[in-house]
């Protein structure tokens, strides 16, 4: 398993985008299948967001102050995704707004992933040494074990509530 922080996060992105494609390819009436795909999307996003919000973003903000604006924008984009995930988590897939809400989630997360991979990660790789990225990655691999997997778990929910009320 790689311990380069950027490689780890990119692998997550790949898995998430695979699920997005599966959702988009599922038929209009594939309600059960789409419900299951969205469950998996929420789980992967909850873990990934936890690793970025609790480890990657604060560390980069600390080590590379020039990237502060990018980090703050990322927090806001994750906040939007958190709200949508929390709502989808409580919804039945046959509800009228389920597909629409998922589509908005997919659009906004796809945009965010593109920004990270095309603009932010290259700057981070330039600013941090190979060793620092490996240390960060090793910490994230460890944090993954205890990461929340659903918006209903206290550590994940707290984030969403903080984001809404904060
Ligand atoms: Fe992110
Ligand atoms: Fe990410």
């Amino acid at each position: 398993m790689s311990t380069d922080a950027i490689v780890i996060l990119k692998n997550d992105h790949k898995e998430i985008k695979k699920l997005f494609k599966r959702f988009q390819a599922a038929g209009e009436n594939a309600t059960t299948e789409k419900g299951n795909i969205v469950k998996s999307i929420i789980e992967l996003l909850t873990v990934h967001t936890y690793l970025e919000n609790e480890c990657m973003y604060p560390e980069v903000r600390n080590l590379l102050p020039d990237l502060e604006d990018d980090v703050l924008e990322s927090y806001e984009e994750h906040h939007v995704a958190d709200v949508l995930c929390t709502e989808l988590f409580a919804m039945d897939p046959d509800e009228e707004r389920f597909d629409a809400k998922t589509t908005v989630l997919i659009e906004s997360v796809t945009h965010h992933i593109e920004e990270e991979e095309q603009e932010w990660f290259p700057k981070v790789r330039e600013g941090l040494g190979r060793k620092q990225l490996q240390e960060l990655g090793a910490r994230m691999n460890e944090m993954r074990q205890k990461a929340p997997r659903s918006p209903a778990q206290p550590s994940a929910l707290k984030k969403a509530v903080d984001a809404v009320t904060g």
Side-chain angles (χ1 to χ4, degrees), residues 3-99:
T3 60
D4 180 285
I6 290 174
V7 173
I8 291 169
L9 294 174
K10 273 187 166 175
N11 276 338
D12 280 1
H13 291 172
K14 222 161 112 193
E15 295 304 313
I16 291 162
K17 287 197 290 187
K18 253 191 235 162
L19 290 172
F20 287 173
K21 288 225 172 67
R22 274 182 54 204
F23 181 89
Q24 287 163 334
E28 180 69 31
N29 298 315
T31 310
T32 309
E33 190 195 347
K34 285 194 279 192
N36 288 331
I37 297 168
V38 169
K39 264 189 212 148
S40 303
I41 289 173
I42 292 172
E43 183 177 334
L44 290 193
L45 279 178
T46 304
V47 174
H48 184 74
T49 298
Y50 178 80
L51 298 180
E52 289 190 339
N53 279 0
E54 306 294 321
C55 183
M56 191 70 178
Y57 295 158
E59 281 300 327
V60 170
R61 191 179 183 182
N62 194 22
L63 296 165
L64 304 171
D66 282 356
L67 298 187
E68 169 144 87
D69 285 353
D70 295 287
V71 172
L72 290 174
E73 189 181 322
S74 288
Y75 279 131
E76 292 307 317
E77 288 178 345
H78 275 274
H79 158 72
V80 171
D82 281 348
V83 171
L84 294 171
C85 281
T86 304
E87 289 174 348
L88 280 168
F89 185 73
M91 262 173 120
D92 283 324
D94 59 359
E95 281 181 54
E96 187 185 56
R97 292 166 69 172
F98 187 84
D99 280 11

